[in-house]
């Protein structure tokens, strides 16, 4: 690695977070996300993934989030974590700068054995996604055939996954375990208070995500967006909330419950763009780098994945040329461009 200064982009934003998708496939079919049923051709190898993370760490990355598709479907997940863990304890390895390795999962395959293996392999945090508690609503949100019975089974699997993660040592108190929910008006907004209550009872932070216009397949429309403001207002009427300070580079705004029983976060990328201090690069399972969740095109890293030097110079260049602020621009003009699919980018 060179000793050149850490890169900043055209808006002076540093490179801090790498979101790496391990697969575009999923064992659910949430219609707002629309995953692939087939794997993408040209998946990065394990060596290439480790090289990418190492080089990114040398350029300032301190947080890695592993995502998908459904990352627990990937047989690379554990070997990747193990390889990263070896680098994190070596003082001369840029991987030692990784402060946080996190995973986002739908929780279906999060058995106790899996949770313990993830912990042992060095994973720091897990976020589990669940958009409803009522079985028929869960089934609709997850795109399940089989209605109520399938929805009930999924809720039990996800609750089992949350329990398993906790038992394996992912502690909600220090942010080691969180719950994600995408809210769509008219589809699952009836579930807002039940989800908040569930999270309060489990002691996990609930992160409420505004339905985003990522991808071209989900038929997004603005009238299905439930704003962060409305979500917190509805929850606050039931359990009063106090705003918490926003951390630099954070995507969420956070509130604590006035009764001291936990916190919620909202990700308001539609109604309150947070591009100003966005420090994230997304890389798809097949090695395409995207500088924004809403970007239409990524850069294929394959020609550079063979060497640290080649990767360093292309990632530095990508970052220095980056000028995306789509969420802000979306508010300023009404022109919509094609976007990459969420199941490739991983949220
Ligand atoms: N399969 C895993 C899961 O569901 O957690 C990881 C990948 S998923 C793409 C990551 C996150 O993106 C999930 O919490 C999911 O709910 C969220 N997501 C997917 N499509 C979305 C959309 N159109 N708007 C907002 N959030 C979305
Ligand atoms: Fe699968 Fe996650 Fe997309 Fe749902 S949001 S289809 S669980 S990748």
């Amino acid at each position: 690695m060179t000793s050149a200064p850490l890169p900043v982009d055209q808006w002076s934003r540093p490179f801090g977070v790498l979101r790496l998708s391990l697969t575009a496939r999923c064992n659910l079919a949430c219609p707002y996300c629309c995953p692939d049923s087939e794997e993408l051709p040209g998946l990065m190898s394990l060596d290439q993934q480790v090289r990418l993370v190492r080089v990114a760490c040398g350029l300032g990355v301190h947080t890695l989030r592993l995502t998908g598709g459904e990352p627990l479907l990937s047989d690379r997940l554990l070997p990747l974590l193990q390889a990263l863990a070896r680098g994190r304890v070596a003082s001369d390895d840029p991987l030692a700068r990784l402060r946080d390795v996190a995973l986002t999962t739908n929780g279906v395959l999060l058995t106790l054995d899996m949770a313990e293996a993830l912990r042992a392999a060095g994973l720091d945090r897990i976020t589990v996604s669940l958009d409803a508690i009522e079985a028929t609503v869960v089934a609709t949100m997850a795109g399940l055939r089989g209605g109520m019975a399938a929805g009930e089974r999924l809720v039990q699997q996800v609750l089992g996954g949350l329990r398993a993660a906790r038992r394996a040592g992912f502690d909600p108190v220090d942010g080691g375990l969180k719950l994600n929910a995408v809210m769509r008006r008219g589809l699952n907004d009836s579930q807002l208070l039940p989800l908040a209550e569930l999270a309060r009872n489990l002691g996990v932070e609930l992160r409420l995500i505004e339905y985003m216009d990522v991808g071209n397949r989900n038929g997004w429309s603005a009238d299905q967006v439930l704003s962060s403001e409305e979500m917190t207002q509805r929850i606050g009427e039931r359990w009063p909330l106090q705003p918490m300070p926003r951390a630099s580079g954070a995507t969420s705004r956070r509130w604590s419950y006035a009764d001291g029983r936990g916190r919620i976060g909202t990700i308001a990328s539609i109604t309150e763009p947070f591009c100003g201090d966005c420090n994230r690069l997304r890389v798809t399972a097949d090695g395409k780098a995207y500088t924004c969740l809403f970007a239409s095109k990524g850069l294929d890293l394959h020609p550079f994945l063979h060497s640290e030097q080649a990767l360093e110079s292309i990632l530095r260049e990508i970052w220095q040329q980056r000028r995306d602020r789509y969420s802000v621009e979306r508010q300023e003009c009404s022109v919509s461009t094609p976007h990459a699919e969420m199941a490739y980018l991983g949220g």
Side-chain angles (χ1 to χ4, degrees):
M1 299 283 303
T2 65
S3 53
L6 297 180
V8 290
D9 73 5
Q10 298 280 315
W11 303 103
S12 302
R13 299 170 295 190
F15 183 16
V17 177
L18 177 64
R19 297 185 65 107
L20 180 59
S21 175
L22 300 185
T23 174
R25 284 186 311 130
C26 190
N27 43 4
L28 299 181
C30 310
Y32 57 79
C33 171
C34 300
D36 286 359
S37 50
E38 301 285 317
E39 193 52 272
L40 294 168
L43 282 192
M44 278 188 285
S45 69
L46 179 60
D47 283 351
Q48 290 172 333
Q49 290 170 327
V50 176
R51 194 170 296 133
L52 171 69
V53 180
R54 173 176 290 119
V55 168
C57 289
L59 295 173
V61 162
H62 49 71
T63 299
L64 172 68
R65 181 164 288 274
L66 300 171
T67 178
E70 174 46 43
L72 293 184
L73 289 177
S74 168
D75 55 11
R76 298 266 166 74
L77 174 59
L78 288 171
L80 174 60
L81 286 168
Q82 287 154 355
L84 297 177
R86 286 192 289 278
R88 288 174 83 183
V89 294
S91 56
D92 57 345
D93 192 321
L95 287 170
R97 296 179 206 161
L98 258 189
R99 297 200 297 263
D100 194 20
V101 180
L103 175 81
T104 308
T105 171
N106 60 32
V108 172
L109 299 174
L110 194 55
T111 58
L112 183 57
D113 282 353
M114 175 54 84
E116 285 175 340
L118 291 168
R119 191 73 186 165
L123 185 69
D124 299 305
R125 295 193 291 124
I126 299 186
T127 301
V128 177
S129 304
L130 179 68
D131 301 327
I133 297 171
E134 198 181 312
T136 47
V137 186
V138 173
T140 305
M141 290 301 287
L144 301 177
R145 293 198 203 104
M148 197 160 162
E152 258 161 27
R153 197 165 49 248
L154 178 56
V155 173
Q156 289 316 317
Q157 284 171 321
V158 178
L159 293 179
L162 285 162
R163 277 194 301 273
R166 231 186 145 140
R167 276 184 64 191
F170 294 94
D171 187 354
V173 173
D174 62 14
L177 184 58
K178 292 182 183 167
L179 191 62
N180 261 9
V182 178
M183 300 311 298
R184 293 180 71 181
R185 187 185 297 283
L187 281 175
N188 69 332
D189 56 333
S190 65
Q191 301 296 294
L192 190 60
L193 293 185
L195 281 167
E197 185 163 32
L198 171 75
R200 276 166 62 85
N201 290 339
L202 293 173
V204 299
E205 181 171 324
L206 174 65
R207 291 157 53 90
L208 296 159
I209 310 174
E210 289 180 356
Y211 176 36
M212 292 186 263
D213 51 336
V214 180
N216 313 294
R217 304 172 180 168
N218 63 12
W220 183 87
S221 71
D223 56 4
Q224 285 193 357
V225 176
L226 193 66
S227 70
S228 154
E229 191 183 350
E230 186 174 340
M231 295 192 246
T232 48
Q233 188 197 328
R234 284 205 214 167
I235 293 177
E237 279 166 9
R238 175 74 177 80
W239 299 287
L241 294 167
Q242 293 163 342
M244 294 172 65
R246 184 174 193 149
S248 166
T251 48
S252 62
R253 278 182 59 192
R254 299 171 80 213
W255 285 260
S256 58
Y257 288 107
D259 64 7
R261 290 195 50 207
R263 296 168 174 165
I264 61 166
T266 58
I267 300 173
S269 56
I270 300 294
T271 61
E272 295 169 45
F274 40 76
C275 304
D277 54 5
C278 175
N279 59 0
R280 283 169 287 282
L281 180 75
R282 294 172 162 83
V283 178
T284 59
D286 61 343
K288 300 210 171 58
Y290 287 81
T291 49
C292 176
L293 184 53
F294 300 99
S296 51
K297 266 182 74 181
L299 183 106
D300 186 2
L301 294 177
H302 273 284
F304 312 96
L305 285 169
H306 61 282
S307 95
E308 287 189 10
Q309 208 183 2
L311 254 183
E312 184 190 336
S313 87
I314 191 67
L315 288 184
R316 186 177 281 283
E317 191 181 326
I318 290 174
W319 197 264
Q320 284 171 340
Q321 287 178 3
R322 174 184 191 249
R323 47 184 311 115
D324 313 70
R325 44 199 283 284
Y326 177 84
S327 280
V328 170
E329 283 159 6
R330 179 209 296 108
Q331 291 210 322
E332 289 166 1
C333 75
S334 58
V335 180
S336 174
T337 50
H339 304 151
E341 297 302 327
M342 184 63 121
Y344 300 163
L345 298 176

